[in-house]
Amino acid sequence: MWPFKKSKSEKPFEVFSDHAVLNYYNGSDAYFRVPDTFEGVPVTEIAANAFKDAKHVKGIYTGKNIQKIGKKAFSGCADDLRLILNEEAERAEGALTGVKAVYFENESGLTLVSYAGHETELQLEDECFSLPVTAIGEKVFYMFAYLKSIRLPARLREIGRAAFAGCSDLTKIDFPMTLESVAQEAFVKSGLTSVFFPVNIVSVGEHAFFGCSDLEKVRFMGKDAAIGPGAFAKCALTDIVLPENLTELQSEVLRENRRLAALHIPKTVEAVWEYALADTGLISIEIPEAVEVIAEGAFANSPHLESLSFGSNVREIGPSALSFCPNLKSLRLSPGKFKIENSLLIDTENHRLIACLPACASSVSVPEDITEIADSAFALNSKIESLTLPESVKHIGAWAFRDMKNLHKLVFKSETITFTDNPLIGTDPEDLVCTDEIAEMLAEMGV
């Protein structure tokens, strides 16, 4: 490897047997394209200080053959200098000093990979050297807390990971109709209050809008977008229109939207994954007939949830799916794998008790064929005073009887039982009926 040039030679280009070096620019063009070759050999290096104090230069296209760029190569050019750079080029420390915007070429045009401006109101260029700007790269505007408004390039297709994360003063953004994807964490903890996705959008990445505490309204204009896990978690949503052909509610996708009281779930959705709608303000949820999987904690910690219904295609309901929903008065389900018996939601195929609805009696006896009590099945139930578990019960999930403040009597008829974790956190029954072995196991867990 040859060293970076540190001073200007007598000629703008220095030619070697297999490559040439641009030592300095002495032209008058405001927009200069470094030639791919000079005197028959490739131009592979831009020397240190090559464009020093060329204040008239506003744009530089470095060329596809450039492999090395020297220190402060562009220092002293115009304040709004744009640079199209070979992505593979090795850069000395401080090589891009003075460059306001840096682009890499991609298959459809240019990707903006860095921006050094400090405007509060910003209009990004649509193109550079007649190439359209089609992508904004990773963390380009990361933590630009002063940025209040931005106009995106007219032909933008992609917004990269964390591109606008932490832009707390950015309250509004208009996406061009060409936009196809928003990457993970793209707008984490930004100040956006509403978001409208154009018809061409096909993906919104994981945690893309996580923690946008002022985001109230979201609209998908297209039909086929995929939404990543946690994409809108911990927002302030009151209104969201999901893509018409959405197939999954990914894990935590709308978690902790406590102001979200109503939601239309597209009929194409086939799965509600872990904690997808947990910690929300939803009052009523209607699960489409196509849904087959309701995963762990799907609706957990929803204090306002009163009504829930789902169809006969559901083949799996995960642990804690309905945990800590104290106002759930109505659970409607079509005949199939699951049933409700005396306010107990039961997986009939696996003989598993999933949840106890708040409308239960003060004295509850679990049916004789139940072999497993799921995680948090009775958690936060303040109505039950006496609970009897049959001999058939062989396993009890974590926190199964958590914070049952009025549970006075708990009967274990089984002589052999296993526990995932302490089932009685926050619960202290006065009358505990069980074998010495079970009592000893509970004592070891702090009961």
Side-chain angles (χ1 to χ4, degrees):
M1 296 291 288
W2 9 265
F4 291 109
K5 297 294 178 181
K6 296 184 178 179
S7 63
K8 297 178 181 178
S9 68
E10 295 181 356
K11 296 180 179 180
F13 287 92
E14 187 172 1
V15 181
F16 297 87
S17 61
D18 60 348
H19 70 281
V21 177
L22 174 61
N23 279 308
Y24 66 93
Y25 177 63
N26 62 352
S28 59
D29 293 338
Y31 292 88
F32 175 66
R33 184 165 186 153
V34 177
D36 293 333
T37 62
F38 184 78
E39 294 185 359
V41 294
V43 179
T44 59
E45 181 182 352
I46 298 175
N49 301 308
F51 289 84
K52 185 177 180 180
D53 297 330
K55 297 186 182 301
H56 64 287
V57 176
K58 296 182 178 182
I60 301 171
Y61 193 130
T62 64
K64 65 181 181 180
N65 292 329
I66 294 297
Q67 298 175 21
K68 301 183 72 173
I69 299 175
K71 186 176 182 180
K72 295 186 178 180
F74 312 102
S75 178
C77 293
D79 292 339
D80 59 348
L81 178 64
R82 270 62 175 166
L83 175 65
I84 299 178
L85 184 65
N86 177 10
E87 185 174 355
E88 304 301 324
E90 180 183 349
R91 286 159 266 171
E93 183 178 355
L96 302 185
T97 298
V99 180
K100 190 168 188 178
V102 178
Y103 301 93
F104 292 158
E105 284 195 69
N106 61 50
E107 292 181 357
S108 60
L110 299 177
T111 299
L112 176 64
V113 295
S114 72
Y115 188 84
H118 293 85
E119 300 93 332
T120 58
E121 298 181 355
L122 178 60
Q123 292 191 2
L124 295 179
E125 291 182 330
D126 292 335
E127 59 182 36
C128 187
F129 284 88
S130 299
L131 294 173
V133 179
T134 58
I136 295 176
E138 180 173 339
K139 293 188 175 181
V140 173
F141 299 98
Y142 178 74
M143 297 298 291
F144 277 35
Y146 47 81
L147 183 62
K148 294 183 178 180
S149 68
I150 186 167
R151 177 194 172 274
L152 298 175
R155 284 175 281 182
L156 188 70
R157 293 185 181 183
E158 304 172 19
I159 296 177
R161 179 177 180 178
F164 295 93
C167 293
S168 55
D169 280 357
L170 183 63
T171 59
K172 183 177 184 294
I173 193 165
D174 293 326
F175 294 137
M177 294 300 292
T178 53
L179 187 67
E180 297 174 357
S181 67
V182 176
Q184 61 190 98
E185 303 167 4
F187 292 90
V188 164
K189 295 185 178 180
S190 70
L192 295 175
T193 58
S194 62
V195 175
F196 293 84
F197 294 101
V199 294
N200 286 331
I201 198 78
V202 294
S203 67
V204 175
E206 182 174 357
H207 294 130
F209 295 85
F210 177 91
C212 293
S213 56
D214 295 318
L215 183 58
E216 297 182 347
K217 190 173 185 178
V218 171
R219 287 279 192 280
F220 282 85
M221 309 305 291
K223 297 181 178 181
D224 300 309
I227 305 174
F232 300 101
K234 290 192 175 183
C235 294
L237 289 177
T238 59
D239 184 16
I240 181 169
V241 175
L242 297 170
E244 186 176 321
N245 295 332
L246 188 68
T247 58
E248 299 176 298
L249 290 180
Q250 292 281 5
S251 59
E252 302 189 9
V253 64
L254 292 172
R255 188 171 188 174
E256 291 192 46
N257 277 274
R258 304 185 192 282
R259 297 175 58 196
L260 186 63
L263 175 68
H264 171 69
I265 301 175
K267 62 182 180 180
T268 50
V269 168
E270 298 175 355
V272 182
W273 293 112
E274 290 84 355
Y275 299 94
L277 301 177
D279 303 278
T280 67
L282 291 172
I283 297 171
S284 177
I285 303 174
E286 185 171 346
I287 302 300
E289 185 68 26
V291 169
E292 297 181 3
V293 177
I294 297 174
E296 177 180 354
F299 314 111
N301 305 315
S302 297
H304 304 291
L305 185 61
E306 297 179 358
S307 174
L308 174 65
S309 64
F310 54 87
S312 59
N313 287 320
V314 173
R315 54 180 174 78
E316 179 183 340
I317 299 178
S320 304
L322 301 174
S323 297
F324 314 121
C325 298
N327 291 306
L328 184 59
K329 300 172 184 177
S330 173
L331 178 60
R332 301 185 302 276
L333 65 162
S334 301
K337 181 179 178 180
F338 302 93
K339 70 175 182 178
I340 298 174
E341 182 178 327
N342 296 328
S343 297
L344 302 176
L345 176 61
I346 296 171
D347 178 345
T348 58
E349 290 185 8
N350 296 306
H351 306 285
R352 179 167 163 264
L353 194 154
I354 298 170
C356 178
L357 304 185
C360 64
S362 60
S363 180
V364 174
S365 293
V366 172
E368 292 290 340
D369 62 341
I370 297 298
T371 60
E372 178 184 355
I373 308 295
D375 293 358
S376 304
F378 291 90
L380 291 182
N381 189 299
S382 60
K383 191 170 183 179
I384 297 177
E385 298 177 6
S386 175
L387 177 60
T388 301
L389 308 180
E391 187 176 355
S392 57
V393 171
K394 301 301 180 185
H395 180 74
I396 296 177
W399 301 354
F401 313 117
R402 176 180 175 176
D403 292 318
M404 297 179 70
K405 300 300 184 183
N406 293 314
L407 182 64
H408 302 304
K409 184 176 182 179
L410 177 59
V411 178
F412 291 87
K413 289 188 175 181
S414 177
E415 295 184 359
T416 303
I417 203 164
T418 60
F419 302 98
T420 298
D421 202 348
N422 189 343
L424 287 164
I425 292 177
T427 301
D428 186 20
E430 300 169 1
D431 188 5
L432 179 61
V433 180
C434 61
T435 65
D436 291 343
E437 182 182 355
I438 292 175
E440 184 177 344
M441 292 172 63
L442 293 173
E444 289 177 356
M445 289 186 287
V447 177

